[in-house]
Amino acid sequence: MRPELARFLDPKLGLGSDNLQTFHREGDHVDEGLWLSADGRWNPIIRGVPCFLPIALRPDFSEFFRKHGLGVPKQDDAAIKAESEQQAKTNVTFSDKWSKFRNYGLEPGHQEFLFDWYCKKLGLPSIEALKNFYRGKKLILECGPGSGFNTRFMAENGGGTVISVDISEAAFTTFGNTKHLPNCHVIQADLNELPLPDNTFDFVIADGVLHHTPSTRQAVESLYRKVKPGGQFFFYVYRRMGAARYFCDQHIRETFSKLDPEACYKACEGITEMGRELSKLKAQVTLEKPIPILGIPAGTHDVQRLIYYYFVKCFWNDAFDYETNNMVNFDWYHPHLAWQHSEEEVEGWLKDLGVKEYAFHPANPNGISTLVRKPE
Ligand SMILES: C[S@@+](CC[C@H](N)C(=O)[O-])C[C@H]1O[C@@H](n2cnc3c(N)ncnc32)[C@H](O)[C@@H]1O
């Protein structure tokens, strides 16, 4: 963390150099330290990342306080709300995943696939257009960056400042992948309780994140508040799929989300193998009639994709190695919170927020890619 992060934080927190204690520096970063905010909250900085998590979601910092001879602050003992428990369980998935898959999206083979997909999600024709899109943004907020590959791309190609926020240990992975970039800052916080001012960001992005919180709608509202008038907001959330796929999702999650991460990776292996073997067939079927009861449109379908989209998520993509493909399936079945929505639902939320300008970009069948502009 560089101390100039203070410039971008909510002034109400009163965070500056006078209440920042530095215990250890690494280059221009505070590697270990403590920030005391005006509301009396202690915000430890550990491994370069300041923690603004709400009390209910904080890890046990007692060792950190002992090490630095600090009195352990009295924490609010209020009962942890049920929804924090769900979020905490969901964080276990992502802390594990992003501690293992630190290079996701940073390898050239991944980038081609992922940034082509970003173009589709944002409704842009090419990678050059994607870079141009970011070039116009002075201040960007990414929530839920995972490995940080997109945070890094925006900071490298946009030239503006990128603030990247994750609730899980993914924050450390993102920091590791972006700390060399002077226009990038990483913090650990809940997107529903951000230490950032409202009406500030030119662009806010949350890709595959909001459905992993206790309420997707509330998450949309929380981030929309951070967008400045005239600014843009992109989010991608899971789409409610047809009945067979929905049944399988519920049925498998019911069991897999209760496993510890290692056991869940193992349990996903058969599903990943099925995806790989189906994909090897390179077979297609043409359905002249749609099957509305299962949400299947008429047309020509790749067999692996037909099963993947409408029956059981068995992801496979040749751009990734076996472990990464298996991780994508783990990412689907392990999180406790993983809501699915319809476009009508999302449209309703946007209408209630007073949004006039928005588009759903058809990037893939099982997600809703939404780009919103906040009225001036
Ligand atoms: C499926 S990953 C997506 C990562 C990345 N955006 C990508 O597309 O590869 C979801 C990320 O959102 C983060 N996340 C979930 N709930 C969050 C919250 N309430 N506040 C901030 N981050 C959150 C998780 O820790 C995880 O890193």
Side-chain angles (χ1 to χ4, degrees), residues 23 32 60-73:
F23 304 133
E32 209 155 300
D60 180 4
F61 285 131
S62 42
E63 182 47 39
F64 171 85
F65 287 106
R66 242 192 316 277
K67 177 174 164 194
H68 296 294
L70 304 158
V72 178

Side-chain angles (χ1 to χ4, degrees), residues 13-269:
L13 297 176
L15 291 163
S17 48
D18 43 335
N19 45 22
L20 172 64
Q21 292 182 58
T22 301
F23 304 133
H24 181 249
R25 284 193 84 90
E26 216 175 272
D28 53 349
H29 286 286
V30 176
D31 179 52
E32 209 155 300
L34 188 66
W35 237 348
L36 189 60
S37 32
D39 57 4
R41 189 173 281 186
W42 301 60
N43 306 296
I45 301 156
I46 296 178
R47 289 191 280 144
V49 178
C51 173
F52 294 99
L53 289 174
I55 303 293
L57 293 173
R58 288 181 172 216
D60 180 4
F61 285 131
S62 42
E63 182 47 39
F64 171 85
F65 287 106
R66 242 192 316 277
K67 177 174 164 194
H68 296 294
L70 304 158
V72 178
K74 251 180 78 80
Q75 302 213 329
D76 183 358
D77 280 332
I80 295 177
K81 288 184 286 180
E83 59 185 42
S84 297
E85 265 176 45
Q86 292 300 312
Q87 180 77 72
K89 285 182 181 165
T90 305
N91 295 352
V92 170
T93 304
F94 294 114
S95 290
D96 187 276
K97 166 179 162 174
W98 294 118
S99 305
K100 289 198 173 91
F101 293 88
R102 292 169 183 274
N103 266 342
Y104 177 80
L106 293 162
E107 291 172 20
H110 299 186
Q111 294 206 321
E112 202 182 319
F113 160 66
L114 288 169
F115 290 114
D116 274 357
W117 193 25
Y118 268 107
C119 290
K120 292 198 184 108
K121 287 189 274 198
L122 288 162
L124 297 167
S126 64
I127 299 284
E128 210 32 61
L130 183 65
K131 291 180 182 171
N132 273 334
F133 178 83
Y134 294 135
R135 262 180 221 127
K137 322 283 185 214
K138 280 205 197 80
L139 195 54
I140 294 179
L141 168 63
E142 172 153 35
C143 280
S147 72
F149 74 94
N150 184 49
T151 286
R152 182 154 132 184
F153 183 87
M154 295 188 296
E156 280 175 346
N157 293 288
T161 299
V162 183
I163 311 288
S164 201
V165 181
D166 206 291
I167 198 169
S168 73
E169 291 183 25
F172 298 105
T173 302
T174 292
F175 176 69
N177 284 328
T178 58
K179 62 183 174 187
H180 60 290
L181 296 167
N183 56 338
C184 191
H185 301 275
V186 181
I187 63 182
Q188 192 177 23
D190 181 348
L191 62 84
N192 284 308
E193 292 186 47
L194 289 172
L196 301 165
D198 291 349
N199 296 311
T200 302
F201 291 87
D202 296 284
F203 182 54
V204 175
I205 178 164
D207 181 18
V209 177
L210 310 185
H211 45 242
H212 293 307
T213 67
S215 156
T216 311
R217 179 186 183 136
Q218 188 196 335
V220 167
E221 291 169 2
S222 296
L223 292 190
Y224 185 72
R225 275 201 294 279
K226 304 297 163 193
V227 181
K228 80 174 194 197
Q232 286 172 290
F233 175 24
F234 170 81
F235 59 91
Y236 172 95
V237 292
Y238 293 155
R239 183 189 295 276
R240 174 83 185 248
M241 297 296 287
R245 169 67 194 266
Y246 189 70
F247 169 79
C248 284
D249 281 352
Q250 299 299 101
H251 178 71
I252 298 173
R253 275 202 186 112
E254 173 73 23
T255 301
F256 282 21
S257 64
K258 295 194 181 95
L259 300 174
D260 66 43
E262 261 336 296
C264 185
Y265 284 112
K266 266 241 117 353
C268 286
E269 285 180 358

